[in-house]
Amino acid sequence: MIQVTNVRKSFGSSEILCGVTLVIQPGQLVGIIGRSGAGKSLLARCITGLDSIDSGSIECDGLALNPRTTRFAPESVQVRKRVGMVFPPAVVAPYRTALDLILEGLVYVQGLSCADAHSAAAPWIERLGLSAHILKYPRQLSTGQLARVSLARAVVMKPDYILCDEITANLDPILAGEVADIIRQLVLDGIGVVLITHQIAFVRREAKYVYYLSNGCIAEQGEAAKVLASPETGDLEAFITGVERGR
Amino acid sequence: MHYEWDFSVVWQFRGALLSGLLTTLWLTLLSAFFGLVGGVALALCLTNRVATIRIPATLAVELIRAIPLPVALVYLYYVGPTLAGITLPSFTTSVLVFSVNFAAFAADVFRGSIAAIPRSHIDAAAALGMSRLMVLRRVVFAEAIRRSFPALNALLVSLLKLTSLAALINTPELVHVSGLIVSERPRVFEVYTAMAALYLAVIVPIVYLLRRLERSRWFALEPIGN
């Protein structure tokens, strides 16, 4: 279980996260929604130790991150081995092929040989429809293919949790549906998945629990279907209306 | 103007010319190697957060870049022995001066390349659970080298040409050897034409090869792929 307790994070005088508390259970799909700049991505970065926190604590299956834990402290590195992060599609090194990107963690973090890493990743490469594109460089791949490379890169590491940051943002409905199928399967496999997204419909349909982040605070939380069907705050209602109008 | 060209002098002194060319190449290769090693070390100091490391490194780089190469060569070769009591052979002095100079310029190229690496690339590697050292090797070095490669190529070709300054302290490289041949047999046009041709014969293939490497999958930032 990932337990985030009263986490605060500021940059200079501006407080981005103001006492966030949330729980992510294994085998559960959790949605984190909110306007741009609400602090969703920063929260994910703090959970994985990529950014340190100013106060509060983050606990991941016995590993604790506190304000003194630095980015490359052993606890942070260990947390990242358990909590995979799927970045938006544009965030990949342009000089590595899709295969290099997918196998990188298996070879350089888990220490597998290239052949073993390839065998371990092959089912995911197949499942994500990347077999025909595996030797291509990022500039030769579409946004959808890059999104799937990003996802493959995280899932082949067999993490206990996966944080997906705007993974379906630039995908057409068919591709987004395919990614949704894979995420659903990951949850069935017992992986805790956090979806950071603006796609309300997707969260409403797939997520068990949802957190609405507004100005760095959890403004609403609860069962996804219930919270999104009848929001308690005008802020969330306006957000849902705005997102659905913009679809 | 009528002039009787006679290249027999070039043929007669071909061994000396080739030896001079070889010295030029050795000078370039050794200076580039030590310069690159020094450049990486200096770049790590230049990008260090600790001011006591960064500021002296910045001052050193600026100072080295400000000193003209002929001044550095002459000073170290002729004044150095008197001041420091150490006499270095001319070849060693040349390698030392060119290496330090190359290191200062390469460090600045590396510093710029390291600064240009998107933070997201480092985050994406760290997110896999890589240690700081692994991220440094797999992302920072790998990407900085690719970003620096075109500028380093230009520096290398420039270094090859600048080694001719080593003639000032009698290093037996191509220009110095050519000068000696001319003083022996005053066929200035022929000897210096041969010297220029030898420089071109070396530089043109090197430039071509480096351009090819620049576009290869090992050094290109965005390889075109198959």
Side-chain angles (χ1 to χ4, degrees):
Chain A
M1 181 177 78
I2 297 176
Q3 171 76 53
V4 177
T5 311
N6 202 23
V7 162
R8 288 176 180 274
K9 173 76 181 172
S10 303
F11 289 109
S13 60
S14 88
E15 195 173 41
I16 311 295
L17 297 176
C18 340
V20 173
T21 297
L22 57 82
V23 175
I24 301 156
Q25 300 280 3
Q28 195 181 63
L29 181 59
V30 172
I32 298 179
I33 56 170
R35 292 167 198 262
S36 298
K40 307 183 295 294
S41 299
L42 180 62
L43 177 60
R45 293 173 59 83
C46 289
I47 292 173
T48 51
L50 287 174
D51 268 305
S52 60
I53 54 176
D54 293 342
S55 66
S57 68
I58 294 166
E59 208 175 305
C60 170
D61 294 340
L63 287 166
L65 303 181
N66 55 49
R68 289 180 304 279
T69 316
T70 55
R71 184 178 163 86
F72 284 106
E75 302 83 18
S76 296
V77 174
Q78 284 307 315
V79 164
R80 290 197 285 272
K81 287 181 181 173
R82 294 185 192 178
V83 185
M85 189 154 172
V86 183
F87 288 87
V91 183
V92 284
Y95 48 89
R96 300 208 194 283
T97 62
L99 186 64
D100 288 340
L101 289 165
I102 293 168
L103 301 190
E104 194 173 29
L106 292 172
V107 174
Y108 293 99
V109 177
Q110 295 188 357
L112 299 187
S113 68
C114 285
D116 289 346
H118 202 287
S119 304
W124 282 109
I125 291 170
E126 180 74 32
R127 197 164 152 188
L128 287 159
L130 289 168
S131 305
H133 311 291
I134 213 68
L135 295 178
K136 290 180 182 171
Y137 289 94
R139 66 184 288 191
Q140 297 171 300
L141 297 170
S142 69
T143 313
Q145 288 159 351
L146 278 175
R148 284 178 278 159
V149 169
S150 271
L151 184 59
R153 194 172 145 86
V155 295
V156 295
M157 299 293 285
K158 295 195 174 138
D160 299 327
Y161 305 89
I162 292 186
L163 311 184
C164 303
D165 190 0
E166 298 291 359
I167 186 179
T168 52
N170 295 309
L171 303 186
D172 64 49
I174 295 170
L175 277 176
E178 286 174 14
V179 171
D181 288 343
I182 288 157
I183 288 172
R184 211 174 289 127
Q185 188 56 51
L186 291 173
V187 174
L188 289 174
D189 291 347
I191 296 173
V193 179
V194 177
L195 274 180
I196 295 167
T197 184
H198 289 124
Q199 310 227 324
I200 302 281
F202 187 63
V203 174
R204 183 183 285 135
R205 206 172 49 241
E206 306 294 341
K208 169 113 176 130
Y209 211 82
V210 70
Y211 291 92
Y212 174 61
L213 209 56
S214 176
N215 295 323
C217 303
I218 302 286
E220 269 193 64
Q221 60 176 295
E223 282 182 30
K226 201 171 153 192
V227 169
L228 296 173
S230 49
E232 286 175 8
T233 59
D235 194 24
L236 177 57
E237 195 172 349
F239 175 68
I240 295 170
T241 312
V243 169
E244 291 187 338
R245 196 189 304 133
R247 273 200 310 170
Chain B
M1 189 186 86
H2 178 72
Y3 181 76
E4 289 272 337
W5 289 88
D6 178 10
F7 279 99
S8 63
V9 63
V10 172
W11 183 249
Q12 187 188 344
F13 288 98
R14 64 189 183 280
L17 284 168
L18 287 176
S19 149
L21 181 66
L22 207 67
T23 305
T24 291
L25 291 175
W26 263 117
L27 206 52
T28 308
L29 213 67
L30 290 174
S31 305
F33 174 76
F34 292 123
L36 274 177
V37 174
V40 170
L42 270 174
L44 290 176
C45 296
L46 291 176
T47 52
N48 204 295
R49 284 185 199 164
V50 182
T52 46
I53 296 175
R54 191 182 63 248
I55 293 171
T58 309
L59 288 175
V61 166
E62 292 307 321
L63 184 72
I64 295 163
R65 281 156 50 109
I67 298 173
L69 268 174
V71 174
L73 281 166
V74 170
Y75 199 85
L76 197 68
Y77 190 65
Y78 292 112
V79 184
T82 312
L83 285 184
I86 303 165
T87 307
L88 293 173
S90 64
F91 184 83
T92 312
T93 306
S94 302
V95 170
L96 187 65
V97 168
F98 290 129
S99 300
V100 170
N101 187 268
F102 191 88
F105 281 93
D108 216 32
V109 170
F110 282 133
R111 184 199 53 75
S113 300
I114 291 171
I117 297 171
R119 191 184 166 188
S120 55
H121 290 183
I122 293 168
D123 288 345
L128 289 175
M130 287 189 189
S131 64
R132 184 194 295 271
L133 204 65
M134 185 71 78
V135 169
L136 204 65
R137 193 166 69 81
R138 287 284 302 167
V139 183
V140 178
F141 280 161
E143 196 159 329
I145 284 172
R146 286 165 194 271
R147 287 179 185 275
S148 309
F149 200 71
L152 288 177
N153 286 351
L155 277 183
L156 181 70
V157 174
S158 176
L159 172 68
L160 202 158
K161 291 184 281 187
L162 284 171
T163 54
S164 55
L165 291 171
L168 284 172
I169 56 167
N170 304 327
T171 307
E173 50 71 61
L174 190 52
V175 172
H176 182 70
V177 168
S178 303
L180 289 180
I181 296 170
V182 167
S183 62
E184 183 87 6
R185 290 276 304 278
R187 301 297 300 189
V188 178
F189 287 3
E190 289 84 349
V191 174
Y192 286 149
T193 301
M195 179 189 79
L198 282 173
Y199 266 115
L200 278 178
V202 170
I203 289 172
V204 170
I206 286 178
V207 168
Y208 175 75
L209 190 75
L210 292 175
R211 286 254 184 277
R212 290 289 299 265
L213 277 176
E214 224 172 85
R215 288 194 290 265
S216 74
R217 69 189 176 96
W218 295 288
F219 293 106
L221 189 60
E222 291 194 32
I224 294 157
N226 300 316

